[in-house]
Amino acid sequence: MKDWAMKAPAERDTTTINDAIYAGVRRFLAPLRRAPWWLKVTLLYVAARLVSTAILLGAAWHAEESPWGGRQPDYLTFIDRWDAGWYERIFDGGYPTTIPRNDDGTAQPNQWAFYPLFPLLARALSGLTGLGWPAAGAIVATAAGLAAALMIYKLFRNFATPRTALWGVAFFAMFPVSPVLQVPYAESLGIFLLAAALHLLIKGRYWAASPTVLLLSLSRPAGVPFAAVVLVHLLLRWSHRKREPFPARELAGGSVLLFVSVVSAFVWMLIAWWLTGERSAYTDTETAWRGTGLVLFKPWFDAGVELAGPLWGPVLPVLLVVLAALYLNSRAVRRIGLELRIWCAMYLLYLLAVLHPQSSTFRMLLPLFPLALAAAFISTSRAYRWSVLVMFTLLQIVWVVWLWQFAAISTGQAWPP
């Protein structure tokens, strides 16, 4: 009481107003505290997508003419860019029966680099509603993003309290590249299927995981690292079978899942081979954008040399691996569970082996979403967690304005998101 009396009148008034606002917000949000988890996740996801929509609309307002439309395009035109255009070709006419090639025999960019499940779902929605590609693709992507958020919450609840799991979902939904969850890309669908497959694996529901993994491998190229996760998971269960029983039925289901995972890792390559008659149809197409053949790990060392020169350049990928290993062994990351840590490690190794580092690399990091839960584990402080969301929002603006905008560079190309 004495401290209150010593405050200046203006300061007392400000304190009273702040307390009233805080109390009002708490009363307004009180019903949400008792709401079911799926409603909380849905509202969180919708709020995140509204923020991203505002950012995309702001960027569209300042957009110049591009290969996809004129100045200041509308929302659906603006998000129908880059890879969305390739999915639109699949939506309209499927895949070519032969690989288009240059005079020197190298493959030209074509639809075989893009997996079929997402455009097929958009095609199905179009058949039911009569919607064209831009709307159908955006709806499927956004709905799949919501399904991913719900599934990620269920996955995170294996390791965290409801509150921390919800914060992990919030970090995922507001991640700097999260606008891709609502544009006609396959990322949101792939994340949903990946989260579902990881959840089923952790729960030991191997029979249900098998078709999920097959669908995952027809949506995004994640089959190879996932098969590695399944193998490590089963080896650990087998080695611990004396302490934790590994019944014959579960062993059989796990063996089937491992077989399906390995086959699924190569299923799209096999389909491309079968339908084109060319054994290297998929790999030739994938490397068409980089202009060179596939040599494992080499592109990262080449990028290091370009950034830091021939002396220190080769050290950069090694330093990246060391930093990643240290982080994956940190206290916060260890709390997300062994399977999720193995997934992150295997996926990073996969990217290091096959990815040509370029502007799309940021988007390729989205399957590392389990690290969003690790970020929530770092601190329970509201100041820390809200600061992360603010930082992610600002970085969303950077990502959209920098990469989603079309700007031709000196080589005559552009930076794709």
Side-chain angles (χ1 to χ4, degrees):
M1 186 67 182
K2 182 179 179 181
D3 292 339
W4 171 261
M6 293 176 62
K7 291 182 179 180
E11 187 177 355
R12 290 200 299 267
D13 292 343
T14 301
T15 303
T16 302
I17 293 172
N18 290 339
D19 289 344
I21 292 174
Y22 181 69
V25 170
R26 285 181 61 87
R27 284 195 299 270
F28 177 76
L29 296 178
L32 289 180
R33 296 179 182 275
R34 299 186 294 272
W37 69 268
W38 57 265
L39 180 57
K40 294 179 182 178
V41 173
T42 299
L43 292 175
L44 186 156
Y45 177 79
V46 169
R49 298 287 61 79
L50 289 175
V51 171
S52 297
T53 299
I55 294 171
L56 288 165
L57 286 173
W61 178 259
H62 294 281
E64 299 295 334
E65 186 174 352
S66 75
W68 301 276
R71 295 182 67 252
Q72 296 183 339
D74 60 68
Y75 175 76
L76 289 179
T77 301
F78 186 64
I79 65 174
D80 189 26
R81 294 184 168 198
W82 307 107
D83 289 6
W86 288 104
Y87 285 118
E88 184 174 6
R89 295 187 188 188
I90 300 168
F91 175 90
D92 289 333
Y95 293 86
T97 56
T98 59
I99 302 300
R101 295 187 179 274
N102 299 307
D103 293 339
D104 61 358
T106 58
Q108 298 175 1
N110 66 85
Q111 293 93 309
W112 281 108
F114 301 90
Y115 288 58
L117 187 57
F118 175 71
L120 287 176
L121 290 175
R123 185 73 179 176
L125 178 62
S126 176
L128 291 173
T129 63
L131 293 172
W133 160 255
I139 290 173
V140 170
T142 307
L146 173 58
L150 294 166
M151 194 67 246
I152 287 171
Y153 177 85
K154 291 288 290 182
L155 175 64
F156 286 176
R157 282 290 287 117
N158 291 307
F159 310 102
T161 64
R163 182 179 179 84
T164 300
L166 196 62
W167 273 103
V169 174
F171 290 167
F172 161 74
M174 290 296 292
F175 193 64
V177 299
S178 63
V180 79
L181 299 173
Q182 65 193 77
V183 305
Y185 275 45
E187 262 68 17
S188 55
L189 179 62
I191 295 297
F192 162 62
L193 293 168
L194 173 61
L198 288 169
H199 178 69
L200 293 170
L201 177 69
I202 290 168
K203 289 295 187 182
R205 298 171 58 185
Y206 305 131
W207 296 99
S210 294
T212 306
V213 172
L214 179 59
L215 292 175
L216 169 64
S217 298
L218 292 174
S219 65
R220 290 290 300 158
V224 172
F226 191 86
V229 174
V230 174
L231 175 61
V232 174
H233 169 87
L234 293 177
L235 288 175
L236 290 174
R237 282 212 63 183
W238 178 259
S239 65
H240 298 157
R241 66 188 184 279
K242 292 183 179 180
R243 289 181 305 176
E244 301 177 10
F246 196 6
R249 184 177 184 279
E250 292 187 20
L251 176 59
S255 300
V256 170
L257 174 59
L258 180 60
F259 174 77
V260 171
S261 299
V262 172
V263 172
S264 297
F266 302 98
V267 67
W268 189 235
M269 298 182 191
L270 298 174
I271 291 174
W273 179 8
W274 176 42
L275 293 180
T276 65
E278 301 182 46
R279 183 174 59 182
S280 60
Y282 173 76
T283 52
D284 287 353
T285 298
E286 275 288 357
T287 57
W289 278 266
R290 66 182 69 178
T292 59
L294 177 62
V295 181
L296 298 181
F297 302 105
K298 183 176 181 294
W300 288 88
F301 289 94
D302 292 341
V305 171
E306 290 180 9
L307 290 173
L311 179 61
W312 296 105
V315 177
L316 291 183
V318 177
L319 179 61
L320 182 65
V321 170
V322 172
L323 292 176
L326 290 174
Y327 182 62
L328 291 177
N329 197 44
S330 65
R331 180 180 179 183
V333 178
R334 287 200 303 269
R335 295 178 65 182
I336 70 176
L338 185 60
E339 285 83 1
L340 296 189
R341 289 174 63 203
I342 294 172
W343 161 256
C344 292
M346 292 301 178
Y347 184 71
L348 283 172
L349 179 62
Y350 174 75
L351 291 183
L352 190 66
V354 304
L355 182 66
H356 179 73
Q358 30 93 13
S359 53
S360 295
T361 302
F362 301 107
R363 172 170 55 88
M364 301 294 182
L365 298 178
L366 199 57
L368 296 173
F369 69 86
L371 297 180
L373 180 60
F377 277 139
I378 290 176
S379 174
T380 59
S381 164
R382 285 199 301 266
Y384 159 75
R385 289 175 170 178
W386 279 103
S387 295
V388 171
L389 290 184
V390 171
M391 178 186 67
F392 281 178
T393 302
L394 296 175
L395 291 176
Q396 275 192 52
I397 298 173
V398 173
W399 185 75
V400 170
V401 172
W402 176 34
L403 293 179
W404 203 260
Q405 293 277 26
F406 175 77
I409 56 178
S410 58
T411 59
Q413 301 173 341
W415 298 116

